Amino acid sequence: MNATPQQGNKDSGKNSGNAKNNQPAEDKNQRTTDPQVNEERATDSVKAKVAEAASNPEVNESPQDVAQENSQLAVTEDRREEVESARAEQIKLANEVNSAERVRELIRAYKSENKLKESDEPTEARITGQHAGKFDLVVRGKQVSCGDHFSPREIGVKDGKIVAIEPLGANLEGAKVVELADDETLIPGLVDTHVHVNEPGRTEWEGFGSATRAAAAGGVTTIVDMPLNSVPATVNVAALEYKRLFAQQNAFVDVGFWGGAIPGNKKDLRPLHDDGVFGFKCFLLHSGVDEFPHLEADEMEEALAEVKTFDSLLIVHAEDSRTIDKAPQPNGDVYEHFLKSRPRGAENIAIAEVIERTRWTEARSHVLHLSSSDALPMIASAKRDGLDITVETCPHYLTLLSEEIPNGATAFKCCPPVREVSNREKLWEGLLDGTIDFIVSDHSPSTLDLKDLGNGDFGVAWGGVSSLQLGLSLIWTEARRRGVGLDRVLQWMSTRPAERVGLRSKGRLSLGYDADMAVFAQDESFVVDAKSLNHKNPITPYQGKVLSGKVRKTFVGGKEVDYKKPSGRLLNRGQV
């Protein structure tokens, strides 16, 4: 979820805003110290907005409308040369930055500087102790996740795996025993398959240490790292090796990697697959960073056909650049102007392309961070047709509303954008009926200055939301207001993402699975404070928000995360 070229960074200046946002709220909207009162008021507010949205229904675009709109957006002849020249320059720069030869030199320098030996490489095995006749860890609780329900259970762990699940009272013996409190639930560790760690190259934005601490604090025990915004981008085997060097001694949770599909690297896709990436990401418009050029639709089709030959997965940032080029410019501090600059049609057109190219190639595809509810009918139709296509959405699209975003509040900026309440309600419907498969963070951090906080200009601020630590609490807070159970939330945030990317030993508390678990107090409330989060840069659109559900402990491979000594593994596709 990244900014486009016109949304880059500028020097900060005088803050601008909307006077009405600075007026005191009415008493009925004031926060209290009583979490239950706050939740009841928030629920009433949601119901009121939903009722208002229902009285103003939107018109969904049909696939035919999408196709017609797309045909009217061809680049005009007078701009074609300009567009092609700019893209050629971007591809040239990407080739230089991501050159395998250049990256191998960086690897040699890094290993020499850090005096790395082969023994420093991470190992696949996870030996947590040698305790004859005992489990390494036993967790006992009245509420333990058992798929679609919760039951009193005891979990026995040996060498990082769940090897026993017994009714509470079995009195399993363990070298370490954890007794859950009455208000605690044992849940499987979350699997977040959409995280931008940004290291190496942009480590001031985020790094493996800070990102994986944040993940663990939010109950996330496995992340899959995006091939950008690190430098070099993960578009060849050398770049993957280089990134692993930075991750291997700094991961507090387990970490896998995506490869990138960019112009000219088709020959690198199979080697990356063989070296363990979980699939390949591409963009259908400028990615926001020049070292990761986007694919045109025909090039995406080539990538789909290529990954089909070795049964990999292509994941797509689906927004249409031509639609956005014709939309109003986003400059200024008015959020509505930014929203109009990223219209739903841009997503609808791009998703239609993904669907049809998937149909033609019979490949496996995945649509990233869905924000436009208009695309749901097309996606549902594609699934009914038997296409192997899945879709994700994110906490910000399910919890935030464009109507409530203050002018100048660039912490809320993301691409595609947070949309209206009626759109949000339809996304929830898509989740509940299975059109949307799962929820991930799209953790896309940046430094504070890139958010242009001084000016609050949505046109120049970086587009991305940092929410890796807050995802479970955000979704649970919203889900329980709607009468949606925690079991459904865990399906969306753990089981299904693990299944889609082939993490066969993660995503549930079952025999033989990794002992990745979190102790979750679903009724405990807290107030979000950006400075207390483990993310490297203290900025969040959720600042001051009261959330329900807090992670009290996290276990990765049967070991409790201590936030001081990293013990996460680097994961390869096929080994998990």
Side-chain angles (χ1 to χ4, degrees), residues 344-402:
R344 298 187 201 189
E347 279 191 89
N348 303 341
I349 289 168
I351 290 170
E353 290 280 16
V354 176
I355 290 171
E356 292 313 303
R357 308 298 174 127
T358 300
R359 189 189 310 277
W360 300 344
T361 59
E362 298 183 342
R364 300 169 60 225
S365 64
H366 177 75
V367 175
L368 299 166
H369 45 54
L370 179 69
S371 117
S372 171
S373 63
D374 292 348
L376 290 171
M378 287 191 292
I379 294 164
S381 177
K383 290 186 171 188
R384 286 194 298 269
D385 289 345
L387 273 64
D388 195 345
I389 186 169
T390 48
V391 183
E392 68 185 42
T393 192
C394 307
H396 33 284
Y397 303 129
L398 296 168
T399 63
L400 300 175
L401 303 172
S402 64

Side-chain angles (χ1 to χ4, degrees), residues 134 167-168 171 297 348 428 442 464:
K134 291 185 179 181
L168 186 64
N171 294 319
N348 303 341
W428 272 97
D442 188 8

Side-chain angles (χ1 to χ4, degrees), residues 156-362:
V157 176
K158 191 79 170 177
D159 295 337
K161 296 285 186 180
I162 296 174
V163 295
I165 302 177
E166 299 291 343
L168 186 64
N171 294 319
L172 299 179
E173 293 187 31
K176 179 176 181 179
V177 177
V178 174
E179 303 270 2
L180 300 189
D182 288 344
D183 68 336
E184 294 178 338
T185 302
L186 188 68
I187 64 173
L190 304 190
V191 176
D192 193 334
T193 57
H194 194 150
V195 178
H196 293 267
V197 176
N198 302 343
E199 186 178 22
R202 292 188 174 94
T203 310
E204 70 275 14
W205 296 19
E206 193 69 277
F208 282 101
S210 54
T212 55
R213 282 190 189 94
V220 178
T221 53
T222 302
I223 66 170
V224 186
D225 172 64
M226 284 292 165
L228 76 164
N229 301 304
S230 55
V231 183
T234 315
V235 295
N236 53 49
V237 168
L240 176 62
E241 180 184 353
Y242 190 46
K243 179 174 281 191
R244 282 173 169 159
L245 289 174
F246 289 82
Q248 66 187 22
Q249 302 297 330
N250 296 295
F252 289 84
V253 301
D254 289 352
V255 179
F257 301 92
W258 294 107
I262 64 172
N265 85 324
K266 180 179 174 180
K267 67 183 186 304
D268 294 298
L269 301 185
R270 182 57 190 260
L272 277 166
H273 173 79
D274 291 342
D275 210 24
V277 300
F278 285 83
F280 301 90
K281 180 178 186 177
C282 73
F283 280 73
L284 292 179
L285 82 170
H286 196 289
S287 69
V289 291
D290 286 339
E291 68 275 3
F292 199 93
H294 72 279
L295 299 181
E296 297 293 344
D298 287 345
E299 294 171 321
M300 176 184 67
E301 184 181 342
E302 283 188 45
L304 281 165
E306 177 66 14
V307 302
K308 163 72 174 174
T309 65
F310 44 88
D311 195 31
S312 190
L313 178 68
L314 189 71
I315 63 176
V316 186
H317 181 125
E319 287 184 286
D320 181 74
S321 60
R322 294 168 295 181
T323 307
I324 291 173
D325 286 344
K326 287 181 175 290
Q329 290 298 304
N331 299 331
D333 70 341
V334 179
Y335 183 78
E336 185 178 358
H337 294 169
F338 169 63
L339 183 59
K340 289 179 178 178
S341 78
R342 312 289 290 217
R344 298 187 201 189
E347 279 191 89
N348 303 341
I349 289 168
I351 290 170
E353 290 280 16
V354 176
I355 290 171
E356 292 313 303
R357 308 298 174 127
T358 300
R359 189 189 310 277
W360 300 344
T361 59
E362 298 183 342

Side-chain angles (χ1 to χ4, degrees), residues 300-533:
M300 176 184 67
E301 184 181 342
E302 283 188 45
L304 281 165
E306 177 66 14
V307 302
K308 163 72 174 174
T309 65
F310 44 88
D311 195 31
S312 190
L313 178 68
L314 189 71
I315 63 176
V316 186
H317 181 125
E319 287 184 286
D320 181 74
S321 60
R322 294 168 295 181
T323 307
I324 291 173
D325 286 344
K326 287 181 175 290
Q329 290 298 304
N331 299 331
D333 70 341
V334 179
Y335 183 78
E336 185 178 358
H337 294 169
F338 169 63
L339 183 59
K340 289 179 178 178
S341 78
R342 312 289 290 217
R344 298 187 201 189
E347 279 191 89
N348 303 341
I349 289 168
I351 290 170
E353 290 280 16
V354 176
I355 290 171
E356 292 313 303
R357 308 298 174 127
T358 300
R359 189 189 310 277
W360 300 344
T361 59
E362 298 183 342
R364 300 169 60 225
S365 64
H366 177 75
V367 175
L368 299 166
H369 45 54
L370 179 69
S371 117
S372 171
S373 63
D374 292 348
L376 290 171
M378 287 191 292
I379 294 164
S381 177
K383 290 186 171 188
R384 286 194 298 269
D385 289 345
L387 273 64
D388 195 345
I389 186 169
T390 48
V391 183
E392 68 185 42
T393 192
C394 307
H396 33 284
Y397 303 129
L398 296 168
T399 63
L400 300 175
L401 303 172
S402 64
E403 294 92 336
E404 295 181 346
I405 297 177
N407 290 339
T410 52
F412 290 82
K413 178 181 174 179
C414 53
C415 303
V418 171
R419 304 192 188 277
E420 304 83 358
V421 59
S422 54
N423 184 81
R424 185 185 73 172
E425 296 313 305
K426 290 177 182 176
L427 291 179
W428 272 97
E429 290 173 12
L431 267 172
L432 291 167
D433 68 23
T435 305
I436 300 173
D437 296 273
F438 52 81
I439 305 169
V440 291
S441 70
D442 188 8
H443 179 68
S444 185
S446 72
T447 55
L448 299 182
D449 64 306
L450 285 174
K451 277 295 189 180
D452 196 43
L453 299 176
N455 293 314
D457 190 332
F458 286 100
V460 301
W462 179 260
V465 170
S466 299
S467 63
L468 185 54
Q469 184 169 337
L470 297 172
L472 177 57
S473 299
L474 288 164
I475 295 301
W476 173 234
T477 300
E478 189 69 28
R480 72 188 308 184
R481 290 177 190 166
R482 299 167 181 272
V484 177
L486 182 59
D487 58 322
R488 296 294 300 276
V489 172
L490 297 175
Q491 284 283 322
W492 293 329
M493 303 189 76
S494 185
T495 308
R496 290 180 183 168
E499 289 172 347
R500 185 52 170 165
V501 302
L503 286 162
R504 298 178 182 86
S505 63
K506 297 183 182 293
R508 62 181 75 227
L509 301 182
S510 294
L511 292 175
Y513 276 62
D514 290 350
D516 297 345
M517 307 173 287
V519 177
F520 186 56
Q522 55 185 290
D523 296 323
E524 182 177 350
S525 297
F526 67 98
V527 178
V528 176
D529 177 8
K531 293 181 180 179
S532 69
L533 300 177

Side-chain angles (χ1 to χ4, degrees), residues 52-199:
E52 181 183 357
S55 66
N56 295 284
E58 300 168 37
V59 178
N60 285 324
E61 291 186 275
S62 69
Q64 291 79 7
D65 294 333
V66 169
Q68 182 178 3
E69 183 178 357
N70 195 26
S71 69
Q72 297 169 351
L73 290 170
V75 177
T76 57
E77 289 299 328
D78 60 340
R79 286 204 61 229
R80 187 178 303 279
E81 184 176 344
E82 174 190 347
V83 169
E84 290 180 352
S85 175
R87 188 162 182 266
E89 284 299 313
Q90 186 189 4
I91 292 172
K92 179 181 177 182
L93 182 146
N95 289 338
E96 294 172 356
V97 171
N98 302 322
S99 162
E101 184 177 343
R102 172 182 174 273
V103 176
R104 290 189 189 100
E105 287 296 329
L106 293 174
I107 291 170
R108 283 191 282 270
Y110 182 92
K111 287 185 173 181
S112 175
E113 180 180 348
N114 291 276
K115 299 181 175 58
L116 292 184
K117 303 175 182 178
E118 290 301 318
S119 60
D120 294 318
E121 296 292 330
T123 59
E124 179 64 21
R126 179 170 269 153
I127 307 301
T128 54
Q130 298 292 335
H131 307 290
K134 291 185 179 181
F135 298 101
D136 302 329
L137 170 70
V138 170
V139 183
R140 301 186 183 123
K142 295 179 180 178
Q143 293 289 318
V144 174
S145 173
C146 298
D148 61 355
H149 66 285
F150 300 88
S151 296
R153 291 286 185 268
E154 297 186 10
I155 302 286
V157 176
K158 191 79 170 177
D159 295 337
K161 296 285 186 180
I162 296 174
V163 295
I165 302 177
E166 299 291 343
L168 186 64
N171 294 319
L172 299 179
E173 293 187 31
K176 179 176 181 179
V177 177
V178 174
E179 303 270 2
L180 300 189
D182 288 344
D183 68 336
E184 294 178 338
T185 302
L186 188 68
I187 64 173
L190 304 190
V191 176
D192 193 334
T193 57
H194 194 150
V195 178
H196 293 267
V197 176
N198 302 343
E199 186 178 22

